[in-house]
Amino acid sequence: MSSVLLDIQYLPSLEYFCCLNQYDEIIIEQEEYFEKQSYRNRCHILSSNKVERLIVPVIGGRKKIKVKDIQIDYTQKWLLNHLRTIRSAYGKAPFFEYYFDHFEFIFQKKEKFLLDLNMQLLQLCFKFLHIDKPITLTNSYIKSTEADIVDFRSAIHPKKPHTDHNLYTPQSYTQVFGLSFVENLSVIDLLFCEGPNSRNVINLSTKGKVNI
């Protein structure tokens, strides 16, 4: 059984799903130090003809705090902003009404830890995409990986183009805004626009060859 080691991300990109789509088991690194300006607490969506960044503020993000211990900062009004922005961007998308309430329910729980929020969102996406693969969390930081585990921690990153890794071949679909297709957005862009066809798009977008 092949396994991939990944950092946990917030409403991950299509590249992230194309990566895990190639493996039998998903291992999430929770013992690493939180990395700011990464996808661990941000995602990109398409809003009014521009790519918009949604960031979950955290407490102590500049300090050495393990991912499993990083807390969400609710003193900032990010939650209301994220929900309003997502509704504004995708309210007219074909499958928005089918999916949005499920995401909103998780957000409204106001999880204390970023890891818990991200894991619940990831598991919800697995459900909608009909991905049935085991997800396990590390018990200690993995310094090196065995032959059957591929290490993609921090490889999928806002500052690294997806062409670096040969994981994702963009397959266009009809988006709410813009005349030209915007690739590699958060998976919610795909879900709201394509609904049940989303898994097929991910399968078509997945490359078989993996390079780090």
Side-chain angles (χ1 to χ4, degrees), residues 137-158:
L137 297 171
T138 57
N139 294 319
S140 59
Y141 182 76
I142 299 178
K143 294 182 179 180
S144 60
T145 57
E146 300 175 3
D148 59 343
I149 299 178
V150 178
D151 187 355
F152 265 98
R153 290 172 296 185
S154 297
I156 300 170
H157 195 281

Side-chain angles (χ1 to χ4, degrees), residues 195-212:
N197 189 49
S198 296
R199 178 63 187 276
N200 184 51
V201 173
I202 289 176
N203 288 341
L204 291 172
S205 303
T206 301
K207 284 191 173 183
K209 183 180 180 182
V210 178
N211 293 325
I212 298 182

Side-chain angles (χ1 to χ4, degrees), residues 58-106:
V58 297
I59 300 172
R62 297 180 183 276
K63 302 177 181 179
K64 283 190 175 182
I65 302 176
K66 290 185 177 181
V67 163
K68 67 178 183 180
D69 297 321
I70 203 78
Q71 296 184 32
I72 299 171
D73 185 359
Y74 286 100
T75 64
Q76 301 186 44
K77 296 181 179 180
W78 71 271
L79 180 55
L80 180 61
N81 175 62
H82 283 210
L83 291 174
R84 283 179 174 174
T85 302
I86 292 171
R87 183 181 291 276
S88 175
Y90 299 109
K92 295 182 179 180
F95 298 94
F96 176 81
E97 295 297 334
Y98 185 80
Y99 294 122
F100 179 73
D101 288 348
H102 299 276
F103 287 104
E104 185 177 36
F105 175 77
I106 292 176

Side-chain angles (χ1 to χ4, degrees), residues 16-81:
Y16 189 92
F17 281 90
C18 286
C19 177
L20 61 83
N21 197 32
Q22 300 184 41
Y23 300 92
D24 301 311
E25 179 188 26
I26 316 303
I27 304 171
I28 299 295
E29 180 62 80
Q30 67 167 346
E31 299 289 342
E32 65 177 357
Y33 289 127
F34 175 78
E35 180 185 340
K36 61 181 181 179
Q37 297 184 351
S38 69
Y39 282 132
R40 289 164 181 80
N41 68 326
R42 68 187 60 201
C43 70
H44 294 125
I45 66 171
L46 186 61
S47 176
S48 302
N49 294 319
K50 67 177 181 178
V51 174
E52 188 155 351
R53 182 177 59 191
L54 299 180
I55 301 174
V56 179
V58 297
I59 300 172
R62 297 180 183 276
K63 302 177 181 179
K64 283 190 175 182
I65 302 176
K66 290 185 177 181
V67 163
K68 67 178 183 180
D69 297 321
I70 203 78
Q71 296 184 32
I72 299 171
D73 185 359
Y74 286 100
T75 64
Q76 301 186 44
K77 296 181 179 180
W78 71 271
L79 180 55
L80 180 61
N81 175 62

